[in-house]
Amino acid sequence: MKKILQAFLLLFLPVILLAGGKAATEKVVIAFKLDNLNINIDGKLTEPVWQQQPISEFIQRDPNEGNPASERTEVWIAYDDANIYVAARMYDSKPESIDASLARRDDFVDSDWFHFFVDPYNDKKSGYYFGVNAGGTLSDGILFNDSWDDNAWDGIWRAQTNVDENGWSLEMQIPFSQLRFNESDKMTWGINFKRNLKRNKESSYFVMVPKKESGFVSRFALLEGLNGIKPKQRFEVTPYVVQKAQYLVHDANDPFYKSNQYNTAIGADLKIGIGSNLNLDVTINPDFGQVEVDPAVINLSAFESYFNEKRPFFIEGFDLFYFGIGGINNNWGFNFGWPELFYSRRIGRSPQGPISDAEYADYPTETRILGAAKLTGKLDESTSVAALSAITERTYATLFNNGTKTNEEVEPLTHYGVLRGRKEFNDGNQALGFMFTTVNRDLNNDVLKERLADNALTLGLDGWTFLDEEKEYVLAAAFFGSYSHGTKEYIQRLQKNSLRYFQRPDATYATFDPERTSLSGYYGRIMLNKQQGNFYINSAIGLASPGLDNNDLGFQFAADRINAHTVIGYRWFEPEGILRSKSVYAAYARTFDFEGNPTSNFLWYRLNATFTNYYSIYIGGNYQFESINKTLTRGGPLVIQPKEFNVWLEASSDSREKIIVETNGTYAKDDLGGTYIDGYAGIEWRPNSQINFSVGPAYSNNDEFRQWVGNFTDAMAINTYNTRYVFARIKQHTLSANIRLNWTFSPTLSFQLFMQPFFAVGDYEGFKELAAPRTTDFNVYGESGSSINYDSNSDEYTVDPDGSGTAEPFSFSNPDFNYKSLRGTAVLRWEVLPGSIFYFVWSHNQTNFDDPGNFSFGRDFKNLWKTEGDDILIVKFSYWLDI
């Protein structure tokens, strides 16, 4: 309780007197009704409606905040029963300097752009954006949480541009069916426009929000005149067909290879409008073969690696499923992030079950999704809903032994469900939401019953409240509970995993219970944020109980944790001397477990500066005080985490240049002498308006004196609870590069290439065991009578801990590694018609493990290059039907 009270003080101590805010005067835009007039979408503005009085008077946000735009922009809005139309004329005194670069959709290259922002619900929080650059490249996405955006959403709409001696112009046609809104005879929407003028690094808005103020959607102008719209019911079907050819490294006698080499799949996505404000998305046998491969990683920690979602069905509308993030415009984690109750990559993931020994095995790499449905939208301006239901099939691996094939279940039939809702009150000053998730498995296999929960549930509440009329200070909170049920063996696994380590021999609060058949826990966090102004403050307190588990459908970062932090900062938005803007932040954060052990205690800082030539630099670091590490021994006793510090630097050049450079580096050192160094240098080259090439090599060197090797039971190890906790010094080198080529032939035809060579080498030496809990003391093997011997034939180490014959010798495999991979994806994308897309995809992966523990780039590159690899070719065509 004392630790919780200390954390509350850290949260509320920084609260200062509430400052006065800034109110904006709403502008009004009138939309023109088209009566029996067809708009020819050619970008030339020849129709009579575009001769009406335009919208103008754009204001700069950059480079000279508050000044009129340097070039005139005129905008018109029109509509008919099916579409809303936007036309814009961007006058330019130097038309020869207009940048009309081509890029693939949603690739925001630095060029001349025009953006249309719209809030159809007029809820002051959410909406859409539609962007077109002078070359005709399209960009679109969603707006949420007032000032955040996400480009994952792809609407089906049209736009054309035209460059002439006066500048450039455009026309957009956006079907009402692509937008969600509350239909009525007279509607009022929120609206805004933005123009980017590349050569001046200028961004100007119809409604400009000053940098020191907060919000974006809440400041929009009002769009009126949308009267008598009767859009048709939305019903879209997008069937697809996929042909796959796999050329994999395989044994010539593999009986499964030929049957899996060529596969054909068909499926479909359906989108049904329920009224004008809700969408029902359904997918049948979804295919995700055209997405980019995940990057290679080497993870030597006890925790899971996180990968972003890239599958279109799950991405669209995902903002409505966010839990615990809302109301505040900035979240800071500091070892305690916001909860992710819905991590969609759990659905369709690799099977979890093991298989018996076999000569050959056909083990699926993913679990097929039989079907999934998603409902998203708003019941009214202040009430949002989102629901998802998905079923994955019972999955089997096929084994081949002595000419006989047998099947073993590796993943059960599983249902995943999510229900999310949120209600805002008092014009968005307060909000209250809930979220419920469920995973239900049909387990009829004893092996899987030991590894998976039969039912796992979470239920949470979240919300926010602004503390003043000007919405300068806001308090946000999230709370949820979890419940997992399964066999005794499964709950034993859950208690022992890296998030909990209930089996820890020195645990006093949450201890291992082998008879349990369920596990439950809770999470809570409260955050205070100052939304605007030069002076900045953010503070939070949170706790996650030892029994918390939301990993069946979410992504869990921690359990058994009480955390608090405070960030203060100051931002200068006005140019001064050689600097265009600058900021400084400092923070203090502290974490305890439920036993009261201080597991983290550090100071942090960051300095940012942007120069008048638009080069930027970022400098930061932290100092970690001595604390307690409860995961280093992988379920063993607590140990001391020594003091350490790190510093880092990032720098980038002007994004308008043909060659853009970005670089960063880190140096860290602890009191035991361990060091970590990394560096990155990214170069982006734009030789012409169609080609963009980038390469980003990265290198890291980790010299760690306490890398875990293994735990070995020994009754003679009385100082460490009858177990020897073995560690070593590791010298790890990691070298990689992300290589990308984007070649855009037209706004609807593009080629994208991604390649990642990756090298990770670890050399273990100086093997030793923990001498005593809550220390940094070790007994080094080969000293004080102990011995260690390496057998190159078996590639094993054998240790005699005391040399007297009293302690039993034990062995472990050589942990050295040399992992090399080359991964890549090439995608040719052709949007044949709006919403109808042809893909040709090549995916490649090859790996090599020669020379473990020995890093030599030249030799390792040759070894990787000569290794055979896997190649997969995919042809996919999807056709959009608007029924």
Side-chain angles (χ1 to χ4, degrees):
M1 180 60 69
K2 179 180 178 182
K3 304 301 182 185
I4 297 177
L5 290 174
Q6 290 177 350
F8 266 112
L9 285 175
L10 187 58
L11 171 66
F12 290 108
L13 182 62
V15 179
I16 61 173
L17 293 176
L18 303 183
K22 300 89 185 168
T25 302
E26 280 186 315
K27 298 181 178 180
V28 177
V29 177
I30 303 298
F32 300 106
K33 178 66 181 290
L34 298 176
D35 294 316
N36 301 318
L37 175 65
N38 292 323
I39 302 294
N40 180 24
I41 305 299
D42 58 7
K44 295 184 179 180
L45 311 190
T46 56
E47 287 79 9
V49 67
W50 310 140
Q51 313 311 313
Q52 303 282 347
Q53 182 70 28
I55 304 159
S56 58
E57 298 179 359
F58 279 53
I59 303 297
Q60 289 187 49
R61 196 169 191 260
D62 286 300
N64 302 308
E65 182 179 312
N67 288 357
S70 63
E71 303 284 355
R72 182 173 175 81
T73 302
E74 297 178 346
V75 185
W76 298 261
I77 299 290
Y79 69 98
D80 55 26
D81 285 340
N83 308 285
I84 187 169
Y85 300 88
V86 180
R89 157 61 73 179
M90 279 62 65
Y91 290 96
D92 200 316
S93 58
K94 296 181 179 179
E96 70 280 1
S97 299
I98 294 172
D99 190 316
S101 295
L102 290 175
R104 60 188 175 90
R105 183 167 178 163
D106 288 330
D107 186 6
F108 187 77
V109 296
D110 203 341
S111 58
D112 286 70
W113 283 87
F114 176 85
H115 280 86
F116 165 53
F117 305 94
V118 61
D119 171 14
Y121 285 112
N122 198 26
D123 62 7
K124 312 295 185 183
K125 286 287 192 302
S126 64
Y128 306 84
Y129 71 84
F130 302 87
V132 186
N133 81 344
T137 297
L138 303 186
S139 176
D140 57 9
I142 59 168
L143 307 170
F144 64 103
N145 199 31
D146 196 1
S147 58
W148 296 0
D149 62 79
D150 190 327
N151 68 358
W153 176 77
D154 283 333
I156 299 173
W157 55 289
R158 294 196 300 150
Q160 288 290 331
T161 61
N162 180 62
V163 180
D164 56 30
E165 66 278 5
N166 295 317
W168 65 287
S169 57
L170 66 83
E171 290 175 305
M172 298 180 183
Q173 180 189 48
I174 304 167
F176 284 118
S177 64
Q178 299 300 299
L179 307 175
R180 290 180 296 207
F181 54 91
N182 288 320
E183 183 182 336
S184 64
D185 290 337
K186 292 185 178 181
M187 294 187 294
T188 299
W189 293 5
I191 196 171
N192 202 0
F193 309 99
K194 176 186 178 183
R195 178 182 177 181
N196 288 86
L197 186 63
K198 177 184 174 179
R199 69 174 182 276
N200 294 344
K201 199 74 173 179
E202 180 180 327
S203 61
S204 56
Y205 293 80
F206 181 60
V207 179
M208 190 275 293
V209 180
K211 297 186 187 73
K212 66 171 61 177
E213 298 186 21
S214 65
F216 182 61
V217 180
S218 57
R219 308 296 189 100
F220 281 7
L222 298 179
L223 176 64
E224 298 182 346
L226 298 174
N227 302 329
I229 298 173
K230 300 294 181 184
K232 68 175 185 178
Q233 180 68 33
R234 184 176 190 179
F235 190 92
E236 302 171 8
V237 181
T238 308
Y240 79 84
V241 59
V242 172
Q243 180 61 55
K244 180 185 293 187
Q246 301 184 99
Y247 303 93
L248 310 179
V249 177
H250 66 286
D251 189 311
N253 298 317
D254 188 340
F256 302 110
Y257 180 70
K258 288 187 178 180
S259 60
N260 290 333
Q261 191 171 5
Y262 301 101
N263 294 315
T264 303
I266 58 174
D269 294 333
L270 293 83
K271 190 180 293 289
I272 304 169
I274 302 176
S276 60
N277 56 345
L278 294 171
N279 277 344
L280 176 64
D281 294 273
V282 178
T283 185
I284 302 170
N285 191 29
D287 173 78
F288 307 117
Q290 77 274 16
V291 300
E292 187 177 287
V293 296
D294 291 319
V297 296
I298 287 290
N299 185 352
L300 298 181
S301 75
F303 303 99
E304 178 185 7
S305 296
Y306 184 94
F307 295 103
N308 291 323
E309 180 61 87
K310 300 177 181 179
R311 300 172 294 178
F313 172 80
F314 291 105
I315 288 175
E316 184 174 346
F318 198 81
D319 63 295
L320 294 177
F321 290 97
Y322 285 140
F323 176 80
I325 299 178
I328 58 176
N329 59 18
N330 206 338
N331 290 287
W332 300 75
F334 291 117
N335 292 331
F336 200 93
W338 283 90
E340 188 162 354
L341 297 189
F342 178 32
Y343 179 49
S344 57
R345 290 194 64 146
R346 300 287 184 221
I347 303 174
R349 66 181 178 180
S350 300
Q352 304 299 294
I355 57 173
S356 305
D357 292 335
E359 296 176 34
Y360 298 97
D362 181 15
Y363 194 98
T365 58
E366 60 188 29
T367 305
R368 190 162 68 98
I369 302 173
L370 296 176
K374 180 173 59 178
L375 178 69
T376 56
K378 287 200 168 190
L379 302 180
D380 54 42
E381 289 84 352
S382 61
T383 308
S384 62
V385 294
L388 180 140
S389 181
I391 297 176
T392 58
E393 71 175 351
R394 194 180 303 276
T395 305
Y396 296 88
T398 305
L399 282 59
F400 182 87
N401 283 298
N402 300 319
T404 302
K405 292 182 180 180
T406 57
N407 292 328
E408 290 187 0
E409 185 180 346
V410 291
E411 187 76 17
L413 180 72
T414 305
H415 169 258
Y416 299 89
V418 186
L419 180 62
R420 172 73 163 133
R422 188 171 69 196
K423 175 72 174 179
E424 296 181 17
F425 306 93
N426 191 21
D427 294 327
N429 284 305
Q430 291 85 34
L432 182 64
F434 76 92
M435 191 164 186
F436 172 73
T437 72
T438 178
V439 178
N440 315 103
R441 297 184 175 97
D442 182 18
L443 291 167
N444 54 21
N445 178 300
D446 289 340
V447 175
L448 291 179
K449 287 180 180 180
E450 294 180 3
R451 294 176 176 268
L452 298 170
D454 52 21
N455 292 289
L457 313 172
T458 65
L459 176 63
L461 296 173
D462 67 338
W464 71 78
T465 180
F466 285 93
L467 303 180
D468 58 312
E469 291 184 2
E470 292 77 19
K471 297 186 177 181
E472 188 170 0
Y473 288 84
V474 63
L475 202 64
F479 306 92
F480 77 90
S482 68
Y483 175 80
S484 300
H485 182 272
T487 62
K488 292 181 182 179
E489 293 78 10
Y490 169 70
I491 298 301
Q492 289 171 15
R493 283 177 175 269
L494 213 55
Q495 294 179 78
K496 290 181 177 181
N497 74 16
S498 60
L499 291 168
R500 275 163 286 276
Y501 289 139
F502 283 7
Q503 74 275 28
R504 232 183 63 230
D506 55 353
T508 60
Y509 181 78
T511 56
F512 180 69
D513 181 356
E515 298 302 314
R516 298 182 68 160
T517 57
S518 66
L519 189 69
S520 59
Y522 55 88
Y523 167 102
R525 195 178 196 218
I526 302 174
M527 178 178 284
L528 172 74
N529 193 65
K530 186 174 184 291
Q531 302 282 87
Q532 54 188 317
N534 297 100
F535 178 70
Y536 178 78
I537 194 165
N538 177 280
S539 195
I541 177 174
L543 71 167
S545 76
L548 181 72
D549 190 81
N550 60 289
N551 254 346
D552 282 85
L553 188 48
F555 190 95
Q556 187 173 353
F557 57 89
D560 193 11
R561 187 172 294 190
I562 302 169
N563 169 274
H565 78 253
T566 292
V567 185
I568 58 173
Y570 199 87
R571 291 88 58 94
W572 293 264
F573 301 109
E574 301 80 13
E576 183 178 2
I578 63 171
L579 296 178
R580 184 165 298 280
S581 64
K582 53 187 180 290
S583 62
V584 56
Y585 297 91
Y588 175 65
R590 198 165 190 183
T591 304
F592 299 89
D593 66 11
F594 274 61
E595 292 176 340
N597 298 304
T599 56
S600 179
N601 183 14
F602 65 90
L603 294 166
W604 172 95
Y605 72 93
R606 188 180 78 193
L607 309 173
N608 307 338
T610 299
F611 298 91
T612 52
N613 62 357
Y614 291 99
Y615 281 54
S616 298
I617 187 169
Y618 305 83
I619 301 172
N622 67 53
Y623 180 84
Q624 173 80 47
F625 299 94
E626 184 177 277
S627 58
I628 296 294
N629 190 317
K630 60 184 300 180
T631 63
L632 189 70
T633 55
R634 305 296 203 272
L638 303 172
V639 296
I640 292 294
Q641 183 66 30
K643 292 179 287 186
E644 61 182 83
F645 73 91
N646 75 59
V647 293
W648 53 265
L649 181 145
E650 296 180 12
S652 59
S653 63
D654 187 349
S655 62
R656 295 173 297 177
E657 299 172 352
K658 281 196 171 184
I659 297 178
I660 305 166
V661 179
E662 181 181 4
T663 183
N664 62 59
T666 302
Y667 176 79
K669 186 174 183 179
D670 64 33
D671 263 13
L672 298 180
T675 59
Y676 175 82
I677 301 171
D678 73 20
Y680 165 83
I683 300 175
E684 182 179 348
W685 178 41
R686 301 173 185 167
N688 58 40
S689 63
Q690 294 178 284
I691 297 176
N692 184 302
F693 175 77
S694 66
V695 58
Y699 173 76
S700 67
N701 185 321
N702 182 29
D703 189 357
E704 170 60 57
F705 282 77
R706 300 191 307 171
Q707 179 60 50
W708 179 80
V709 175
N711 298 341
F712 304 90
T713 302
D714 188 341
M716 303 303 297
I718 57 176
N719 291 332
T720 52
Y721 302 97
N722 303 322
T723 301
R724 300 192 184 276
Y725 299 96
V726 179
F727 293 82
R729 179 181 184 179
I730 183 176
K731 296 179 180 179
Q732 181 180 345
H733 305 269
T734 304
L735 177 66
S736 65
N738 290 337
I739 304 169
R740 298 180 187 274
L741 170 66
N742 294 321
W743 192 341
T744 309
F745 307 101
S746 75
T748 57
L749 179 63
S750 64
F751 173 77
Q752 181 183 5
L753 173 68
F754 169 77
M755 299 293 292
Q756 187 206 40
F758 183 87
F759 303 82
V761 181
D763 178 20
Y764 288 74
E765 62 180 33
F767 294 92
K768 53 199 174 183
E769 66 178 49
L770 182 67
R774 287 183 175 266
T775 70
T776 57
D777 299 335
F778 290 88
N779 299 323
V780 179
Y781 296 142
E783 299 179 1
S784 302
S786 66
S787 64
I788 181 169
N789 296 292
Y790 173 65
D791 184 344
S792 58
N793 293 322
S794 63
D795 198 28
E796 283 188 343
Y797 286 94
T798 299
V799 175
D800 184 345
D802 59 6
S804 65
T806 305
E808 192 73 22
F810 63 93
S811 300
F812 55 86
S813 298
N814 181 7
D816 288 353
F817 61 87
N818 188 330
Y819 174 80
K820 303 171 284 293
S821 73
L822 179 63
R823 298 186 178 195
T825 307
V827 180
L828 179 69
R829 182 185 186 275
W830 179 27
E831 191 167 358
V832 182
L833 296 168
S836 301
I837 304 173
F838 171 84
Y839 292 98
F840 181 83
V841 183
W842 166 69
S843 179
H844 176 82
N845 184 32
Q846 63 191 75
T847 57
N848 180 275
F849 303 91
D850 293 344
D851 303 298
N854 186 356
F855 179 64
S856 172
F857 175 72
R859 182 206 60 218
D860 290 343
F861 183 82
K862 290 179 181 178
N863 288 341
L864 176 61
W865 189 257
K866 68 183 182 183
T867 302
E868 287 188 85
D870 296 333
D871 291 284
I872 300 174
L873 299 176
I874 299 173
V875 177
K876 176 179 179 179
F877 180 66
S878 59
Y879 188 76
W880 178 65
L881 296 168
D882 186 12
I883 299 174

